[in-house]
Protein backbone atom coordinates (compact mmCIF):
# COMPACT_ATOMS: atom_id res chain seq x y z
CA UNK A 1 0.00 0.00 0.00
CA UNK A 2 1.55 3.35 -1.01
CA UNK A 3 2.36 5.98 1.67
CA UNK A 4 -0.26 8.76 1.85
CA UNK A 5 1.45 12.07 2.68
CA UNK A 6 -1.84 13.98 3.01
CA UNK A 7 -3.17 11.55 5.61
CA UNK A 8 0.06 11.73 7.58
CA UNK A 9 0.05 15.54 7.43
CA UNK A 10 -3.51 15.98 8.70
CA UNK A 11 -3.17 13.22 11.27
CA UNK A 12 -0.46 15.30 13.02
CA UNK A 13 2.04 14.05 15.58
CA UNK A 14 1.67 10.89 17.56
CA UNK A 15 -1.36 11.00 19.92
CA UNK A 16 -0.41 12.27 23.38
CA UNK A 17 2.60 14.31 22.18
CA UNK A 18 1.11 17.69 23.10
CA UNK A 19 -0.71 16.33 26.16
CA UNK A 20 2.59 15.95 27.97
CA UNK A 21 2.82 19.75 28.31
CA UNK A 22 -0.67 20.16 29.77
CA UNK A 23 -0.27 21.17 33.44
CA UNK A 24 -4.04 21.49 33.81
CA UNK A 25 -5.04 17.82 33.68
CA UNK A 26 -8.74 17.18 33.31
CA UNK A 27 -10.71 14.75 35.44
CA UNK A 28 -13.57 12.90 33.66
CA UNK A 29 -16.97 13.95 34.85
CA UNK A 30 -17.92 10.40 35.78
CA UNK A 31 -15.07 10.43 38.34
CA UNK A 32 -16.32 13.56 40.14
CA UNK A 33 -18.94 13.70 42.84
CA UNK A 34 -20.97 16.90 43.51
CA UNK A 35 -21.92 17.53 47.13
CA UNK A 36 -24.27 19.88 48.92
CA UNK A 37 -21.42 21.17 51.08
CA UNK A 38 -19.29 21.84 48.01
CA UNK A 39 -22.10 23.86 46.45
CA UNK A 40 -22.39 26.06 49.57
CA UNK A 41 -18.63 26.60 49.67
CA UNK A 42 -18.59 27.43 45.93
CA UNK A 43 -21.34 30.06 46.29
CA UNK A 44 -19.64 31.62 49.34
CA UNK A 45 -16.34 31.57 47.48
CA UNK A 46 -17.79 33.43 44.49
CA UNK A 47 -19.46 36.03 46.70
CA UNK A 48 -16.22 36.55 48.62
CA UNK A 49 -14.28 37.00 45.37
CA UNK A 50 -16.87 39.47 44.09
CA UNK A 51 -16.63 41.52 47.29
CA UNK A 52 -12.83 41.67 47.17
CA UNK A 53 -12.87 42.45 43.45
CA UNK A 54 -15.21 45.41 43.93
CA UNK A 55 -13.07 46.65 46.83
CA UNK A 56 -9.91 46.49 44.73
CA UNK A 57 -11.67 48.10 41.77
CA UNK A 58 -12.77 50.99 43.94
CA UNK A 59 -9.21 51.44 45.17
CA UNK A 60 -7.90 51.30 41.61
CA UNK A 61 -10.30 53.95 40.34
CA UNK A 62 -9.90 56.26 43.36
CA UNK A 63 -7.04 58.75 43.26
CA UNK A 64 -4.77 58.56 46.30
CA UNK A 65 -3.05 61.64 47.71
CA UNK A 66 0.29 60.99 49.41
CA UNK A 67 2.40 63.58 51.20
CA UNK A 68 6.09 64.01 51.85
CA UNK A 69 8.36 66.51 53.59
CA UNK A 70 11.61 67.98 52.30
CA UNK A 71 13.82 71.03 52.82
CA UNK A 72 13.77 73.33 49.78
CA UNK A 73 12.12 76.38 48.25
CA UNK A 74 9.53 74.80 45.94
CA UNK A 75 8.56 77.91 43.96
CA UNK A 76 11.90 79.26 42.73
CA UNK A 77 10.22 81.08 39.84
CA UNK A 78 8.23 83.38 42.12
CA UNK A 79 11.03 85.92 42.38
CA UNK A 80 11.19 85.55 46.15
CA UNK A 81 7.61 86.77 46.56
CA UNK A 82 4.50 85.32 48.21
CA UNK A 83 1.00 86.43 47.24
CA UNK A 84 -1.25 87.30 50.17
CA UNK A 85 -5.03 87.63 50.27
CA UNK A 86 -6.59 89.45 53.24
CA UNK A 87 -10.26 90.08 54.02
CA UNK A 88 -11.03 91.69 57.38
CA UNK A 89 -13.97 93.65 58.82
CA UNK A 90 -13.69 96.43 61.39
CA UNK A 91 -17.31 97.30 62.23
CA UNK A 92 -16.43 100.34 64.38
CA UNK A 93 -13.72 102.08 62.34
CA UNK A 94 -14.32 104.42 59.37
CA UNK A 95 -12.85 103.41 56.01
CA UNK A 96 -10.82 106.65 55.68
CA UNK A 97 -8.92 105.65 58.81
CA UNK A 98 -8.14 102.06 57.79
CA UNK A 99 -4.81 101.33 56.12
CA UNK A 100 -2.38 98.50 55.46
CA UNK A 101 1.31 98.79 56.27
CA UNK A 102 4.00 96.31 55.16
CA UNK A 103 7.58 95.95 56.40
CA UNK A 104 10.23 93.24 56.49
CA UNK A 105 13.90 92.53 57.18
CA UNK A 106 14.93 93.42 53.62
CA UNK A 107 14.23 97.05 54.40
CA UNK A 108 10.78 97.31 52.94
CA UNK A 109 8.56 99.77 54.79
CA UNK A 110 5.34 100.70 53.03
CA UNK A 111 2.68 102.72 54.79
CA UNK A 112 -0.87 102.85 53.43
CA UNK A 113 -0.65 100.16 50.76
CA UNK A 114 -3.50 100.73 48.29
CA UNK A 115 -2.70 98.55 45.22
CA UNK A 116 -5.26 95.77 44.57
CA UNK A 117 -7.19 96.73 47.68
CA UNK A 118 -10.78 97.78 48.35
CA UNK A 119 -12.62 99.31 51.29
CA UNK A 120 -16.32 98.61 51.71
CA UNK A 121 -18.29 100.73 54.21
CA UNK A 122 -20.23 98.85 56.90
CA UNK A 123 -22.93 99.87 59.37
CA UNK A 124 -23.92 103.01 57.40
CA UNK A 125 -20.31 104.12 57.11
CA UNK A 126 -19.40 103.58 60.75
CA UNK A 127 -17.39 100.46 59.93
CA UNK A 128 -15.25 99.11 57.14
CA UNK A 129 -14.35 95.86 55.41
CA UNK A 130 -10.86 95.83 53.95
CA UNK A 131 -10.07 93.46 51.09
CA UNK A 132 -6.59 93.37 49.65
CA UNK A 133 -4.19 91.29 47.61
CA UNK A 134 -0.50 92.03 47.87
CA UNK A 135 2.88 90.33 47.92
CA UNK A 136 5.49 89.92 50.61
CA UNK A 137 9.14 88.93 50.45
CA UNK A 138 10.27 85.48 51.57
CA UNK A 139 11.94 86.91 54.67
CA UNK A 140 10.62 87.50 58.19
CA UNK A 141 8.45 90.58 58.46
CA UNK A 142 4.97 91.82 59.21
CA UNK A 143 1.97 93.55 57.73
CA UNK A 144 -0.61 95.29 59.87
CA UNK A 145 -3.97 97.00 59.66
CA UNK A 146 -3.89 100.31 61.49
CA UNK A 147 -4.65 104.03 61.36
CA UNK A 148 -0.99 104.94 60.76
CA UNK A 149 -1.66 106.14 57.20
CA UNK A 150 -4.59 108.38 58.19
CA UNK A 151 -4.09 112.12 57.80
CA UNK A 152 -5.43 112.69 61.31
CA UNK A 153 -5.20 110.12 64.05
CA UNK A 154 -8.49 109.39 65.86
CA UNK A 155 -8.68 109.75 69.60
CA UNK A 156 -9.96 106.24 70.41
CA UNK A 157 -9.71 103.92 67.38
CA UNK A 158 -11.70 100.75 67.83
CA UNK A 159 -9.77 97.73 66.53
CA UNK A 160 -12.37 95.05 67.21
CA UNK A 161 -12.53 92.93 64.08
CA UNK A 162 -13.49 89.73 62.28
CA UNK A 163 -11.02 88.05 59.93
CA UNK A 164 -12.83 86.43 57.02
CA UNK A 165 -9.78 85.26 55.10
CA UNK A 166 -6.01 85.26 55.29
CA UNK A 167 -4.28 83.00 52.80
CA UNK A 168 -0.93 82.78 51.06
CA UNK A 169 -0.18 81.61 47.51
CA UNK A 170 -2.63 79.77 45.27
CA UNK A 171 -5.99 78.69 46.61
CA UNK A 172 -6.17 74.92 46.98
CA UNK A 173 -9.63 73.37 47.09
CA UNK A 174 -8.87 69.67 47.07
CA UNK A 175 -11.15 67.19 48.80
CA UNK A 176 -8.41 64.89 50.10
CA UNK A 177 -6.20 67.66 51.49
CA UNK A 178 -7.22 69.19 54.80
CA UNK A 179 -4.60 71.77 55.70
CA UNK A 180 -4.42 75.07 57.56
CA UNK A 181 -4.54 77.24 54.43
CA UNK A 182 -6.92 79.74 56.05
CA UNK A 183 -6.24 79.15 59.71
CA UNK A 184 -7.45 82.62 60.75
CA UNK A 185 -10.65 82.48 58.70
CA UNK A 186 -13.55 83.19 61.04
CA UNK A 187 -11.44 84.66 63.86
CA UNK A 188 -13.81 86.89 65.86
CA UNK A 189 -12.42 89.64 68.14
CA UNK A 190 -15.59 91.75 68.44
CA UNK A 191 -15.76 91.29 72.21
CA UNK A 192 -12.13 92.22 72.89
CA UNK A 193 -10.87 95.52 74.29
CA UNK A 194 -11.59 98.19 71.60
CA UNK A 195 -8.26 99.92 72.29
CA UNK A 196 -6.18 96.75 72.34
CA UNK A 197 -3.61 95.79 69.73
CA UNK A 198 -3.64 92.25 68.38
CA UNK A 199 -0.56 90.27 67.49
CA UNK A 200 -0.92 87.23 65.23
CA UNK A 201 2.35 85.30 65.00
CA UNK A 202 2.34 83.17 61.86
CA UNK A 203 4.62 80.29 60.92
CA UNK A 204 4.24 79.85 57.16
CA UNK A 205 4.84 76.39 55.66
CA UNK A 206 5.38 76.12 51.87
CA UNK A 207 3.03 73.59 50.29
CA UNK A 208 3.06 72.00 46.83
CA UNK A 209 0.18 70.10 45.23
CA UNK A 210 0.94 67.97 42.16
CA UNK A 211 -1.94 66.41 40.24
CA UNK A 212 -1.90 63.28 38.07
CA UNK A 213 -0.80 65.26 35.00
CA UNK A 214 2.27 66.58 36.82
CA UNK A 215 0.97 70.16 37.12
CA UNK A 216 2.07 71.80 40.36
CA UNK A 217 0.32 74.48 42.39
CA UNK A 218 2.08 76.40 45.14
CA UNK A 219 0.34 77.44 48.31
CA UNK A 220 1.21 78.00 51.95
CA UNK A 221 -0.22 76.67 55.17
CA UNK A 222 0.39 78.41 58.45
CA UNK A 223 0.06 77.99 62.17
CA UNK A 224 -0.92 80.93 64.34
CA UNK A 225 -0.56 82.17 67.89
CA UNK A 226 -2.03 85.45 69.09
CA UNK A 227 -1.90 87.87 71.95
CA UNK A 228 -3.79 91.02 72.89
CA UNK A 229 -2.29 94.05 74.63
CA UNK A 230 -2.60 97.83 74.94
CA UNK A 231 0.23 99.72 73.22
CA UNK A 232 1.21 103.32 73.95
CA UNK A 233 3.14 105.67 71.69
CA UNK A 234 6.05 107.86 72.87
CA UNK A 235 3.53 110.66 73.48
CA UNK A 236 1.45 108.44 75.74
CA UNK A 237 -1.39 107.99 73.28
CA UNK A 238 -2.92 104.58 72.63
CA UNK A 239 -2.44 103.60 68.98
CA UNK A 240 -3.82 100.08 68.47
CA UNK A 241 -3.16 97.95 65.41
CA UNK A 242 -3.74 94.45 64.09
CA UNK A 243 -0.32 92.88 63.47
CA UNK A 244 0.44 89.83 61.38
CA UNK A 245 4.05 88.85 62.08
CA UNK A 246 5.28 86.04 59.88
CA UNK A 247 8.27 83.79 59.43
CA UNK A 248 8.85 81.00 56.89
CA UNK A 249 9.51 77.37 57.70
CA UNK A 250 12.35 75.64 55.79
CA UNK A 251 10.23 72.48 55.58
CA UNK A 252 8.06 72.04 52.48
CA UNK A 253 4.98 69.81 52.41
CA UNK A 254 4.23 68.15 49.07
CA UNK A 255 0.97 66.43 48.15
CA UNK A 256 1.01 64.16 45.11
CA UNK A 257 -1.94 62.53 43.36
CA UNK A 258 -1.30 58.88 42.55
CA UNK A 259 -3.30 56.05 41.08
CA UNK A 260 -2.59 52.35 41.55
CA UNK A 261 -0.79 50.96 38.47
CA UNK A 262 -2.66 48.50 36.27
CA UNK A 263 -0.18 45.66 36.73
CA UNK A 264 -0.59 45.82 40.50
CA UNK A 265 -4.38 45.72 40.16
CA UNK A 266 -4.19 42.64 37.89
CA UNK A 267 -1.72 40.94 40.22
CA UNK A 268 -3.97 41.55 43.21
CA UNK A 269 -7.05 40.20 41.41
CA UNK A 270 -5.17 37.05 40.38
CA UNK A 271 -3.98 36.58 43.95
CA UNK A 272 -7.52 37.00 45.27
CA UNK A 273 -9.02 34.48 42.85
CA UNK A 274 -6.23 31.93 43.20
CA UNK A 275 -5.97 32.21 46.97
CA UNK A 276 -9.72 32.04 47.52
CA UNK A 277 -10.19 28.95 45.34
CA UNK A 278 -7.17 27.24 46.94
CA UNK A 279 -8.40 27.80 50.48
CA UNK A 280 -11.95 26.85 49.50
CA UNK A 281 -10.67 23.65 47.87
CA UNK A 282 -8.72 22.70 50.97
CA UNK A 283 -11.75 23.39 53.17
CA UNK A 284 -14.08 21.40 50.91
CA UNK A 285 -11.61 18.50 50.79
CA UNK A 286 -11.33 18.41 54.59
CA UNK A 287 -15.11 18.46 55.01
CA UNK A 288 -15.61 15.77 52.37
CA UNK A 289 -12.90 13.54 53.88
CA UNK A 290 -14.37 13.96 57.37
CA UNK A 291 -17.88 13.15 56.16
CA UNK A 292 -16.70 10.03 54.32
CA UNK A 293 -14.83 8.85 57.40
CA UNK A 294 -17.94 9.42 59.51
CA UNK A 295 -20.04 7.40 57.07
CA UNK A 296 -17.56 4.48 57.28
CA UNK A 297 -17.68 4.62 61.07
CA UNK A 298 -21.46 4.51 61.01
CA UNK A 299 -21.45 1.58 58.57
CA UNK A 300 -19.00 -0.26 60.83
CA UNK A 301 -21.32 0.14 63.80
CA UNK A 302 -24.25 -1.25 61.81
CA UNK A 303 -22.30 -4.40 60.94
Amino acid sequence: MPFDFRRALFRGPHPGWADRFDIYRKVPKDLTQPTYTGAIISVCCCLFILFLFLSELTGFITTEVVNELYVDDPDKDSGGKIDVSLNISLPNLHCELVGLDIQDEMGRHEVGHIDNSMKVPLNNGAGCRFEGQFSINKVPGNFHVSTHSATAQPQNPDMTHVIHKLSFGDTLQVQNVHGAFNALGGADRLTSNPLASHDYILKIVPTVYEDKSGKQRYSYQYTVANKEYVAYSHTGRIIPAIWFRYDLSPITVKYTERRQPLYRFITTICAIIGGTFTVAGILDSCIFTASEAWKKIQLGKMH
Side-chain angles (χ1 to χ4, degrees):
M1 181 179 180
F3 181 75
D4 190 343
F5 287 95
R6 290 177 298 177
R7 183 177 300 175
L9 179 64
F10 286 103
R11 185 172 56 188
H14 187 274
W17 177 80
D19 297 346
R20 299 176 182 176
F21 298 96
D22 186 6
I23 60 176
Y24 302 102
R25 302 300 178 90
K26 308 302 184 295
V27 179
K29 289 185 177 181
D30 55 351
L31 297 180
T32 59
Q33 178 182 350
T35 61
Y36 180 74
T37 305
I40 295 177
I41 293 177
S42 299
V43 172
C44 294
C45 180
C46 292
L47 292 176
F48 184 68
I49 290 176
L50 179 62
F51 169 74
L52 293 181
F53 172 78
L54 294 177
S55 299
E56 288 297 324
L57 182 61
T58 303
F60 175 70
I61 296 175
T62 304
T63 300
E64 179 186 12
V65 178
V66 298
N67 61 77
E68 59 180 313
L69 304 176
Y70 61 92
V71 179
D72 194 11
D73 180 10
D75 191 10
K76 295 183 175 63
D77 299 330
S78 63
K81 302 286 187 179
I82 300 176
D83 294 329
V84 184
S85 178
L86 175 64
N87 188 335
I88 184 172
S89 293
L90 298 93
N92 301 311
L93 193 64
H94 294 279
C95 281
E96 61 267 18
L97 300 175
V98 177
L100 176 69
D101 308 329
I102 307 172
Q103 57 188 17
D104 59 37
E105 292 186 359
M106 291 183 66
R108 179 183 182 183
H109 191 182
E110 185 176 351
V111 179
H113 179 87
I114 59 175
D115 294 339
N116 298 321
S117 62
M118 178 177 62
K119 300 177 184 178
V120 181
L122 300 175
N123 301 332
N124 297 321
C128 184
R129 185 174 83 243
F130 178 86
E131 300 178 13
Q133 294 181 350
F134 53 96
S135 62
I136 57 176
N137 295 315
K138 291 183 178 180
V139 294
N142 74 79
F143 52 91
H144 52 277
V145 177
S146 66
T147 60
H148 298 166
S149 60
T151 54
Q153 293 297 318
Q155 289 296 325
N156 297 306
D158 188 335
M159 282 295 168
T160 55
H161 61 277
V162 176
I163 301 175
H164 305 290
K165 180 183 179 181
L166 176 60
S167 62
F168 300 87
D170 296 339
T171 301
L172 292 181
Q173 294 181 346
V174 184
Q175 182 178 3
N176 296 329
V177 176
H178 304 284
F181 297 99
N182 186 23
L184 276 175
D188 188 334
R189 300 292 182 269
L190 295 179
T191 58
S192 62
N193 185 351
L195 298 178
S197 291
H198 300 266
D199 259 13
Y200 296 99
I201 296 92
L202 313 178
K203 192 68 172 182
I204 302 176
V205 182
T207 304
V208 183
Y209 189 88
E210 181 177 330
D211 59 21
K212 296 189 295 294
S213 63
K215 181 181 178 181
Q216 292 185 341
R217 285 181 289 172
Y218 303 96
S219 186
Y220 297 84
Q221 303 181 64
Y222 61 93
T223 59
V224 58
N226 68 286
K227 63 179 179 179
E228 179 182 327
Y229 59 94
V230 176
Y232 295 88
S233 66
H234 62 280
T235 60
R237 293 182 58 187
I238 299 177
I239 306 180
I242 304 170
W243 298 81
F244 301 92
R245 307 181 191 273
Y246 62 88
D247 192 7
L248 272 77
S249 169
I251 303 296
T252 296
V253 180
K254 183 178 181 180
Y255 298 96
T256 307
E257 288 185 353
R258 291 180 183 175
R259 180 168 288 177
Q260 183 180 349
L262 179 60
Y263 73 87
R264 185 177 299 174
F265 172 71
I266 296 176
T267 303
T268 304
I269 295 303
C270 292
I272 289 174
I273 296 175
T276 304
F277 275 118
T278 300
V279 174
I282 294 174
L283 180 62
D284 179 64
S285 178
C286 293
I287 295 175
F288 180 76
T289 303
S291 63
E292 290 296 315
W294 177 254
K295 289 179 181 178
K296 291 181 180 179
I297 293 174
Q298 294 298 322
L299 290 173
K301 290 182 178 180
M302 292 177 61
H303 292 291

